[in-house]
Amino acid sequence: MSKINEVFIAPSILAADFANLQRDIEMVNASNADWFHIDVMDGMFVPNISFGMPVIQAIKKHAQKPLDVHLMIEKPERYISAFAQLGADVLTVHAEASIHLHRTIQAIKVEGMMAGVALNPHTSISQIEDVLDDVDLILLMSVNPGFGGQKFIERTYDKLNNLVELLSLSKNTPRIEIDGGVNAENAKKLVELGADVLVAGNFVFSSQTPKETIEDLKRSVNHG
Ligand code: DX5
Ligand code: ZN
């Protein structure tokens, strides 16, 4: 598939050094990353608890790029206006976590944010067939959500392929984001298959030269 969109890189702040958050945010500001990926976990939808509103408020104060907020929480519809007020630009909810997903997507858009829907590795893309025309972004989890630093699930390639095929029947062209275990080895193939937002947590922040790692990744998926 030939890409129309520039491929975005979204470093995941979950893997940053929270004791040096401002330093890490400024590193991302200075890099050619496109979005800040912000993982919110409630200890219910996923086994882990990450961070909440006060931390996101602090991130927003320094971030000079859009905030791509990934909610791994039950009933995310409860917090849509709260995240809009915090300054989220993209708000992604899990299809598994929102009973009235269509309504949730509309509510996110009413608040002026891009509406994303995420799918766990076991969730079939058929679950979002009836909202394909409504979403601005589809996030495929390529690990089970809850933790950074996990191994990429290879089945994601087939799932991505099927998603792109399904989307070809729709007039809508949402961005496709891959989240979990993304690195220099799998990034190119993901983009060739149709992904156009790559989240990278540990691959970026455990690097000795994170800014260069972002730049190399961005370059490798945008210019051959
Ligand atoms: C996992 C999160 C991911 C995570 C990615 O639940 O949604 O965004 O931070 O981290 P890496 O790239 O280390 O797998
Ligand atoms: Zn995420």
Side-chain angles (χ1 to χ4, degrees), residues 99-175:
I99 293 176
H100 298 287
L101 185 59
H102 182 271
R103 179 186 287 151
T104 303
I105 292 164
Q106 305 311 323
I108 294 172
K109 295 209 262 194
V110 164
E111 294 283 358
M113 298 177 284
M114 274 176 72
V117 172
L119 296 176
N120 282 334
H122 80 277
T123 306
S124 162
I125 53 170
S126 63
Q127 294 288 315
I128 54 166
E129 213 174 323
D130 292 291
V131 289
L132 281 187
D133 292 346
D134 301 287
V135 291
D136 299 307
L137 177 144
I138 297 168
L139 183 158
L140 296 184
M141 285 305 312
S142 39
V143 299
N144 284 295
F147 304 93
Q150 301 180 78
K151 191 176 175 301
F152 180 85
I153 297 171
E154 299 278 320
R155 163 77 191 162
T156 309
Y157 296 127
D158 285 342
K159 193 167 179 176
L160 174 56
N161 229 338
N162 295 340
L163 174 62
V164 168
E165 208 172 293
L166 188 65
L167 277 171
S168 68
L169 305 171
S170 162
K171 280 199 243 13
N172 193 21
T173 53
R175 278 196 176 262

Coordinates of all heavy atoms in Angstrom, one line a residue, residues 99-175:
I99 N -19.7 0.8 26.4 CA -20.8 0.1 25.9 C -21.5 0.8 24.7 O -21.8 0.2 23.7 CB -21.9 -0.2 27.0 CG1 -21.2 -1.1 28.0 CG2 -23.2 -0.7 26.5 CD1 -22.1 -1.3 29.3
H100 N -21.6 2.1 24.8 CA -22.2 2.9 23.7 C -21.1 3.6 23.0 O -21.0 4.9 23.0 CB -23.3 3.9 24.3 CG -24.4 3.2 25.0 ND1 -25.4 2.5 24.3 CD2 -24.7 3.0 26.3 CE1 -26.2 1.9 25.2 NE2 -25.8 2.2 26.4
L101 N -20.4 2.8 22.3 CA -19.2 3.4 21.6 C -19.5 4.5 20.6 O -18.8 5.5 20.5 CB -18.4 2.2 20.9 CG -17.1 2.5 20.3 CD1 -16.1 3.1 21.3 CD2 -16.5 1.3 19.6
H102 N -20.5 4.3 19.9 CA -20.9 5.3 18.9 C -21.2 6.7 19.5 O -20.6 7.7 19.1 CB -22.2 4.9 18.1 CG -22.6 5.8 17.0 ND1 -23.4 6.9 17.3 CD2 -22.2 5.9 15.7 CE1 -23.6 7.6 16.2 NE2 -22.9 7.0 15.2
R103 N -21.9 6.6 20.6 CA -22.2 7.9 21.4 C -20.9 8.5 21.9 O -20.7 9.7 21.9 CB -23.1 7.6 22.5 CG -23.5 8.8 23.4 CD -24.3 8.4 24.6 NE -25.7 8.0 24.2 CZ -26.5 7.2 24.9 NH1 -26.0 6.6 25.9 NH2 -27.7 6.9 24.5
T104 N -20.0 7.6 22.4 CA -18.7 8.1 23.0 C -17.9 8.8 21.9 O -17.3 9.9 22.2 CB -17.9 6.9 23.6 OG1 -18.8 6.2 24.6 CG2 -16.7 7.3 24.2
I105 N -17.9 8.2 20.8 CA -17.1 8.8 19.7 C -17.7 10.2 19.3 O -16.9 11.2 19.2 CB -17.1 7.9 18.4 CG1 -16.3 6.6 18.7 CG2 -16.6 8.6 17.2 CD1 -16.6 5.5 17.7
Q106 N -19.0 10.3 19.2 CA -19.6 11.6 18.9 C -19.3 12.6 20.0 O -18.9 13.8 19.7 CB -21.1 11.5 18.7 CG -21.6 10.4 17.7 CD -20.9 10.5 16.4 OE1 -20.6 11.6 15.9 NE2 -20.7 9.3 15.8
A107 N -19.3 12.2 21.2 CA -19.1 13.1 22.3 C -17.6 13.6 22.3 O -17.4 14.8 22.6 CB -19.3 12.4 23.7
I108 N -16.7 12.8 21.9 CA -15.3 13.2 21.8 C -15.2 14.3 20.7 O -14.5 15.3 20.9 CB -14.4 12.0 21.5 CG1 -14.3 11.0 22.7 CG2 -12.9 12.5 21.2 CD1 -13.6 9.7 22.4
K109 N -15.9 14.1 19.6 CA -15.8 15.0 18.5 C -16.4 16.4 18.8 O -16.0 17.4 18.5 CB -16.4 14.4 17.2 CG -15.6 13.2 16.7 CD -15.7 13.0 15.3 CE -16.7 12.0 14.9 NZ -16.6 11.5 13.5
V110 N -17.6 16.3 19.6 CA -18.2 17.5 20.0 C -17.3 18.4 20.8 O -17.3 19.6 20.8 CB -19.5 17.2 20.8 CG1 -20.1 18.4 21.6 CG2 -20.6 16.6 19.8
E111 N -16.4 17.7 21.6 CA -15.4 18.5 22.4 C -14.3 19.0 21.6 O -13.3 19.6 22.1 CB -14.9 17.6 23.5 CG -15.9 17.2 24.6 CD -16.3 18.3 25.6 OE1 -15.6 19.4 25.5 OE2 -17.1 18.1 26.4
G112 N -14.3 18.7 20.3 CA -13.2 19.3 19.4 C -12.0 18.4 19.3 O -10.9 18.9 18.8
M113 N -12.0 17.2 19.8 CA -10.8 16.4 19.8 C -11.0 15.3 18.6 O -12.1 15.1 18.2 CB -10.7 15.6 21.1 CG -10.5 16.5 22.3 SD -10.3 15.6 23.9 CE -12.1 15.2 24.2
M114 N -9.9 14.8 18.2 CA -9.9 13.7 17.3 C -10.3 12.4 18.1 O -9.9 12.2 19.2 CB -8.5 13.4 16.7 CG -8.1 14.2 15.5 SD -6.4 13.8 15.0 CE -6.5 12.2 14.3
A115 N -11.2 11.7 17.5 CA -11.8 10.5 18.2 C -11.1 9.2 17.8 O -11.1 8.9 16.6 CB -13.3 10.4 18.0
G116 N -10.5 8.5 18.7 CA -9.8 7.3 18.4 C -10.5 6.1 19.1 O -11.1 6.2 20.2
V117 N -10.4 4.9 18.4 CA -10.9 3.7 19.1 C -9.8 2.7 19.1 O -9.1 2.5 18.0 CB -12.1 3.1 18.3 CG1 -12.5 1.8 18.9 CG2 -13.3 4.0 18.5
A118 N -9.5 2.1 20.2 CA -8.5 1.1 20.4 C -9.0 -0.3 20.5 O -10.1 -0.5 21.1 CB -7.6 1.4 21.6
L119 N -8.3 -1.3 20.0 CA -8.7 -2.7 20.1 C -7.5 -3.5 20.8 O -6.4 -3.4 20.4 CB -8.9 -3.3 18.7 CG -10.1 -2.7 17.9 CD1 -10.1 -3.4 16.5 CD2 -11.4 -2.9 18.6
N120 N -7.9 -4.3 21.8 CA -7.0 -5.2 22.4 C -6.5 -6.3 21.3 O -7.3 -6.5 20.4 CB -7.6 -5.9 23.6 CG -7.7 -5.0 24.8 OD1 -6.8 -4.1 24.9 ND2 -8.6 -5.2 25.7
P121 N -5.4 -7.0 21.6 CA -5.0 -8.0 20.6 C -6.0 -9.1 20.3 O -6.1 -9.5 19.2 CB -3.8 -8.6 21.3 CG -3.2 -7.6 22.2 CD -4.5 -6.8 22.7
H122 N -6.9 -9.4 21.3 CA -7.9 -10.5 21.0 C -9.1 -10.0 20.4 O -10.0 -10.8 20.0 CB -8.2 -11.2 22.4 CG -9.2 -10.4 23.2 ND1 -8.9 -9.4 24.0 CD2 -10.6 -10.5 23.2 CE1 -10.0 -8.9 24.6 NE2 -11.0 -9.6 24.1
T123 N -9.3 -8.7 20.3 CA -10.6 -8.1 19.8 C -10.6 -8.0 18.3 O -9.7 -7.4 17.7 CB -10.9 -6.7 20.4 OG1 -10.8 -6.8 21.8 CG2 -12.2 -6.2 20.0
S124 N -11.6 -8.6 17.7 CA -11.7 -8.6 16.3 C -12.0 -7.2 15.7 O -12.8 -6.5 16.3 CB -12.8 -9.6 15.9 OG -13.2 -9.4 14.5
I125 N -11.5 -6.9 14.5 CA -11.8 -5.6 13.9 C -13.3 -5.5 13.5 O -13.8 -4.4 13.3 CB -10.9 -5.3 12.7 CG1 -11.0 -6.5 11.7 CG2 -9.5 -5.1 13.1 CD1 -10.3 -6.2 10.4
S126 N -14.0 -6.7 13.4 CA -15.4 -6.6 13.1 C -16.2 -5.9 14.2 O -17.3 -5.3 13.9 CB -15.9 -8.0 13.0 OG -15.8 -8.7 14.2
Q127 N -15.6 -5.8 15.4 CA -16.3 -5.0 16.5 C -16.5 -3.5 16.2 O -17.3 -2.9 16.8 CB -15.4 -5.1 17.8 CG -15.4 -6.5 18.3 CD -16.7 -7.0 18.9 OE1 -17.3 -6.3 19.7 NE2 -17.1 -8.2 18.6
I128 N -15.6 -3.0 15.3 CA -15.8 -1.6 15.0 C -16.3 -1.3 13.6 O -16.2 -0.1 13.1 CB -14.4 -0.8 15.2 CG1 -13.3 -1.5 14.5 CG2 -14.1 -0.8 16.7 CD1 -12.0 -0.6 14.4
E129 N -16.8 -2.3 12.9 CA -17.2 -2.2 11.5 C -18.3 -1.1 11.4 O -18.3 -0.3 10.5 CB -17.8 -3.5 11.1 CG -17.7 -3.8 9.6 CD -18.1 -5.2 9.2 OE1 -18.0 -6.1 10.0 OE2 -18.7 -5.3 8.1
D130 N -19.1 -1.0 12.4 CA -20.2 0.0 12.3 C -19.9 1.4 12.8 O -20.7 2.3 12.8 CB -21.5 -0.5 13.1 CG -22.0 -1.7 12.3 OD1 -22.6 -1.6 11.2 OD2 -21.9 -2.9 12.8
V131 N -18.6 1.6 13.2 CA -18.2 3.0 13.5 C -17.0 3.4 12.7 O -16.4 4.5 12.9 CB -17.8 3.2 15.0 CG1 -19.1 3.1 15.9 CG2 -16.8 2.1 15.5
L132 N -16.7 2.6 11.7 CA -15.6 3.0 10.8 C -15.7 4.3 10.2 O -14.7 5.0 10.0 CB -15.4 1.9 9.7 CG -14.7 0.6 10.0 CD1 -14.6 -0.2 8.8 CD2 -13.4 0.8 10.8
D133 N -16.9 4.7 9.8 CA -17.1 6.0 9.2 C -17.0 7.2 10.2 O -17.0 8.3 9.8 CB -18.5 6.1 8.5 CG -18.5 5.1 7.3 OD1 -17.4 4.7 6.9 OD2 -19.6 4.8 6.8
D134 N -17.0 6.9 11.5 CA -17.1 7.9 12.5 C -15.7 8.3 13.1 O -15.6 9.3 13.7 CB -18.0 7.5 13.6 CG -19.4 7.2 13.0 OD1 -20.1 8.2 12.7 OD2 -19.8 6.1 12.9
V135 N -14.8 7.3 13.1 CA -13.6 7.5 13.8 C -12.5 8.3 13.1 O -12.4 8.2 11.8 CB -13.0 6.2 14.3 CG1 -13.9 5.5 15.4 CG2 -12.7 5.2 13.2
D136 N -11.7 9.0 13.8 CA -10.5 9.7 13.2 C -9.3 8.9 13.3 O -8.3 9.1 12.6 CB -10.3 11.0 13.9 CG -11.5 12.0 13.8 OD1 -11.9 12.2 12.7 OD2 -12.0 12.4 14.9
L137 N -9.3 7.9 14.2 CA -8.1 7.1 14.4 C -8.5 5.7 14.9 O -9.4 5.6 15.7 CB -7.2 7.8 15.4 CG -5.9 7.2 15.8 CD1 -4.8 8.2 16.0 CD2 -6.0 6.4 17.1
I138 N -7.8 4.7 14.5 CA -7.9 3.3 15.0 C -6.6 2.9 15.6 O -5.6 3.0 14.9 CB -8.4 2.4 13.9 CG1 -9.8 2.8 13.4 CG2 -8.5 0.9 14.5 CD1 -10.3 2.1 12.1
L139 N -6.6 2.5 16.8 CA -5.4 2.1 17.5 C -5.4 0.5 17.7 O -6.3 0.0 18.3 CB -5.2 2.8 18.8 CG -3.9 2.5 19.7 CD1 -3.7 3.7 20.6 CD2 -4.0 1.2 20.4
L140 N -4.5 -0.1 17.0 CA -4.3 -1.6 17.3 C -3.3 -1.8 18.3 O -2.1 -1.4 18.2 CB -3.9 -2.3 16.0 CG -4.9 -2.3 14.8 CD1 -4.4 -3.1 13.6 CD2 -6.3 -2.7 15.2
M141 N -3.7 -2.5 19.4 CA -2.7 -2.9 20.4 C -1.9 -4.0 19.9 O -2.5 -5.1 19.5 CB -3.4 -3.3 21.7 CG -4.1 -2.2 22.6 SD -3.0 -0.9 23.1 CE -1.5 -1.7 23.7
S142 N -0.6 -3.9 19.9 CA 0.3 -4.9 19.5 C 1.0 -5.6 20.7 O 1.9 -6.4 20.5 CB 1.3 -4.4 18.5 OG 1.8 -3.1 18.9
V143 N 0.5 -5.3 21.9 CA 0.8 -6.0 23.1 C -0.5 -6.0 23.9 O -1.4 -5.2 23.6 CB 1.9 -5.4 24.0 CG1 3.2 -5.3 23.2 CG2 1.6 -4.0 24.5
N144 N -0.6 -6.7 25.0 CA -1.8 -6.6 25.9 C -1.6 -5.3 26.7 O -0.5 -5.1 27.3 CB -1.9 -7.8 26.8 CG -2.5 -9.0 26.0 OD1 -3.7 -8.9 25.5 ND2 -1.7 -10.0 25.8
P145 N -2.6 -4.4 26.7 CA -2.3 -3.1 27.4 C -2.1 -3.3 28.9 O -2.6 -4.2 29.5 CB -3.6 -2.4 27.1 CG -4.7 -3.4 26.8 CD -3.9 -4.6 26.2
G146 N -1.4 -2.3 29.4 CA -1.1 -2.3 30.8 C 0.3 -2.0 31.2 O 0.6 -1.4 32.2
F147 N 1.2 -2.4 30.3 CA 2.6 -2.2 30.6 C 3.4 -1.8 29.4 O 3.1 -2.3 28.3 CB 3.2 -3.5 31.2 CG 2.4 -3.9 32.5 CD1 1.4 -4.8 32.3 CD2 2.7 -3.4 33.7 CE1 0.6 -5.2 33.4 CE2 2.0 -3.8 34.8 CZ 1.0 -4.7 34.7
G148 N 4.5 -1.1 29.6 CA 5.4 -0.8 28.5 C 6.4 -1.9 28.5 O 6.5 -2.8 29.3
G149 N 7.3 -1.9 27.4 CA 8.4 -2.8 27.4 C 8.0 -4.3 27.1 O 8.9 -5.2 27.3
Q150 N 6.9 -4.6 26.5 CA 6.5 -5.9 26.2 C 6.9 -6.3 24.7 O 7.1 -5.4 23.9 CB 5.0 -6.2 26.4 CG 4.5 -5.9 27.8 CD 3.0 -6.1 27.9 OE1 2.5 -7.3 28.0 NE2 2.2 -5.1 27.8
K151 N 6.8 -7.6 24.5 CA 7.2 -8.0 23.1 C 6.0 -7.9 22.1 O 4.9 -8.2 22.4 CB 7.6 -9.5 23.2 CG 8.2 -10.1 22.0 CD 8.6 -11.6 22.3 CE 9.2 -12.2 21.1 NZ 8.3 -12.3 19.9
F152 N 6.3 -7.4 21.0 CA 5.4 -7.2 19.9 C 4.7 -8.5 19.5 O 5.4 -9.5 19.3 CB 6.2 -6.6 18.7 CG 5.3 -6.3 17.5 CD1 4.6 -5.1 17.3 CD2 5.3 -7.3 16.4 CE1 3.9 -4.9 16.2 CE2 4.5 -7.0 15.3 CZ 3.8 -5.8 15.2
I153 N 3.4 -8.5 19.4 CA 2.7 -9.7 18.9 C 2.6 -9.7 17.4 O 2.0 -8.8 16.8 CB 1.2 -9.7 19.6 CG1 1.3 -9.7 21.1 CG2 0.4 -10.8 19.0 CD1 0.0 -9.5 21.8
E154 N 3.2 -10.8 16.8 CA 3.3 -10.8 15.4 C 2.0 -10.9 14.6 O 1.9 -10.4 13.5 CB 4.1 -12.1 15.0 CG 5.5 -12.1 15.6 CD 6.5 -11.4 14.8 OE1 6.4 -11.4 13.5 OE2 7.4 -10.7 15.4
R155 N 1.0 -11.4 15.2 CA -0.3 -11.5 14.6 C -0.9 -10.1 14.2 O -1.7 -10.0 13.3 CB -1.3 -12.2 15.6 CG -2.7 -12.0 15.4 CD -3.3 -13.0 14.3 NE -4.6 -12.6 13.9 CZ -5.2 -13.0 12.8 NH1 -4.6 -13.7 11.9 NH2 -6.4 -12.6 12.5
T156 N -0.3 -9.1 14.8 CA -0.7 -7.7 14.5 C -0.6 -7.4 13.0 O -1.4 -6.6 12.4 CB 0.2 -6.7 15.2 OG1 0.2 -7.0 16.6 CG2 -0.3 -5.3 15.1
Y157 N 0.4 -8.0 12.3 CA 0.5 -7.7 10.9 C -0.7 -8.2 10.1 O -1.2 -7.4 9.2 CB 1.7 -8.5 10.3 CG 3.1 -8.1 10.9 CD1 4.0 -9.0 11.4 CD2 3.5 -6.7 10.8 CE1 5.2 -8.6 11.9 CE2 4.7 -6.3 11.3 CZ 5.6 -7.3 11.9 OH 6.8 -6.9 12.4
D158 N -1.2 -9.4 10.4 CA -2.4 -9.9 9.7 C -3.6 -9.0 10.0 O -4.5 -8.7 9.2 CB -2.7 -11.3 10.1 CG -1.8 -12.3 9.5 OD1 -1.1 -11.9 8.5 OD2 -1.7 -13.4 10.0
K159 N -3.7 -8.6 11.3 CA -4.8 -7.8 11.7 C -4.8 -6.4 11.0 O -5.9 -6.0 10.6 CB -4.7 -7.6 13.3 CG -6.0 -7.1 13.9 CD -5.9 -7.3 15.4 CE -7.1 -6.7 16.1 NZ -7.0 -7.0 17.5
L160 N -3.6 -5.9 10.9 CA -3.5 -4.6 10.2 C -3.9 -4.7 8.8 O -4.6 -3.9 8.2 CB -2.0 -4.1 10.4 CG -1.6 -2.9 9.6 CD1 -2.4 -1.7 10.0 CD2 -0.1 -2.6 9.9
N161 N -3.5 -5.8 8.1 CA -3.8 -6.1 6.8 C -5.3 -6.1 6.6 O -5.9 -5.5 5.7 CB -3.3 -7.4 6.4 CG -2.5 -7.4 5.1 OD1 -2.7 -6.5 4.3 ND2 -1.6 -8.4 4.9
N162 N -6.0 -6.9 7.5 CA -7.4 -7.0 7.4 C -8.1 -5.7 7.7 O -9.2 -5.4 7.1 CB -7.9 -8.0 8.5 CG -7.4 -9.4 8.2 OD1 -7.0 -9.7 7.0 ND2 -7.3 -10.3 9.2
L163 N -7.6 -4.9 8.6 CA -8.2 -3.6 8.9 C -8.1 -2.7 7.6 O -9.1 -2.0 7.3 CB -7.5 -2.9 10.1 CG -7.9 -1.5 10.4 CD1 -9.4 -1.4 10.8 CD2 -7.1 -0.9 11.5
V164 N -7.0 -2.7 7.0 CA -6.8 -1.8 5.8 C -7.8 -2.3 4.7 O -8.4 -1.4 4.0 CB -5.3 -1.9 5.3 CG1 -5.2 -1.2 3.9 CG2 -4.4 -1.2 6.3
E165 N -8.0 -3.6 4.6 CA -8.9 -4.1 3.6 C -10.3 -3.6 3.9 O -11.1 -3.2 3.1 CB -8.8 -5.6 3.6 CG -9.2 -6.2 2.3 CD -8.8 -7.7 2.3 OE1 -7.6 -8.1 2.4 OE2 -9.8 -8.5 2.3
L166 N -10.7 -3.8 5.2 CA -12.0 -3.4 5.6 C -12.2 -1.9 5.4 O -13.3 -1.4 4.9 CB -12.2 -3.7 7.1 CG -13.5 -3.5 7.8 CD1 -14.5 -4.5 7.1 CD2 -13.5 -3.7 9.3
L167 N -11.2 -1.1 5.6 CA -11.3 0.4 5.5 C -11.4 0.8 4.0 O -11.9 1.8 3.7 CB -10.1 1.1 6.1 CG -10.1 1.3 7.6 CD1 -8.8 1.8 8.1 CD2 -11.2 2.3 7.9
S168 N -10.9 -0.1 3.1 CA -11.0 0.3 1.7 C -12.5 0.3 1.2 O -12.8 0.9 0.2 CB -10.2 -0.7 0.9 OG -10.8 -2.0 0.9
L169 N -13.4 -0.3 2.0 CA -14.8 -0.2 1.7 C -15.5 1.0 2.2 O -16.6 1.3 1.9 CB -15.5 -1.5 2.3 CG -14.9 -2.8 1.9 CD1 -15.6 -3.9 2.7 CD2 -15.1 -3.1 0.4
S170 N -14.7 1.8 3.0 CA -15.3 3.0 3.7 C -14.7 4.2 3.0 O -13.6 4.2 2.4 CB -14.9 3.0 5.1 OG -15.1 4.3 5.7
K171 N -15.5 5.3 3.0 CA -15.0 6.6 2.5 C -14.1 7.3 3.4 O -13.3 8.2 3.1 CB -16.2 7.5 2.1 CG -16.8 7.1 0.8 CD -17.6 8.3 0.2 CE -19.1 8.1 0.1 NZ -19.9 7.1 0.6
N172 N -14.2 6.8 4.7 CA -13.4 7.5 5.7 C -11.9 6.9 5.7 O -11.7 5.8 5.3 CB -14.0 7.1 7.1 CG -13.4 8.0 8.2 OD1 -12.9 9.0 8.0 ND2 -13.6 7.5 9.4
T173 N -11.0 7.8 6.0 CA -9.6 7.4 6.0 C -8.9 7.7 7.4 O -8.1 8.6 7.5 CB -8.8 8.1 4.9 OG1 -9.0 9.5 5.1 CG2 -9.2 7.7 3.6
P174 N -9.3 7.0 8.4 CA -8.8 7.3 9.8 C -7.3 6.9 9.8 O -6.8 6.1 9.0 CB -9.6 6.4 10.7 CG -10.1 5.3 9.8 CD -10.3 5.9 8.5
R175 N -6.6 7.6 10.7 CA -5.2 7.2 10.9 C -5.2 5.8 11.6 O -6.1 5.5 12.3 CB -4.4 8.2 11.7 CG -3.9 9.4 10.9 CD -2.9 10.2 11.6 NE -2.4 11.3 10.8 CZ -1.2 11.1 10.1 NH1 -0.4 10.1 10.2 NH2 -0.8 12.1 9.3

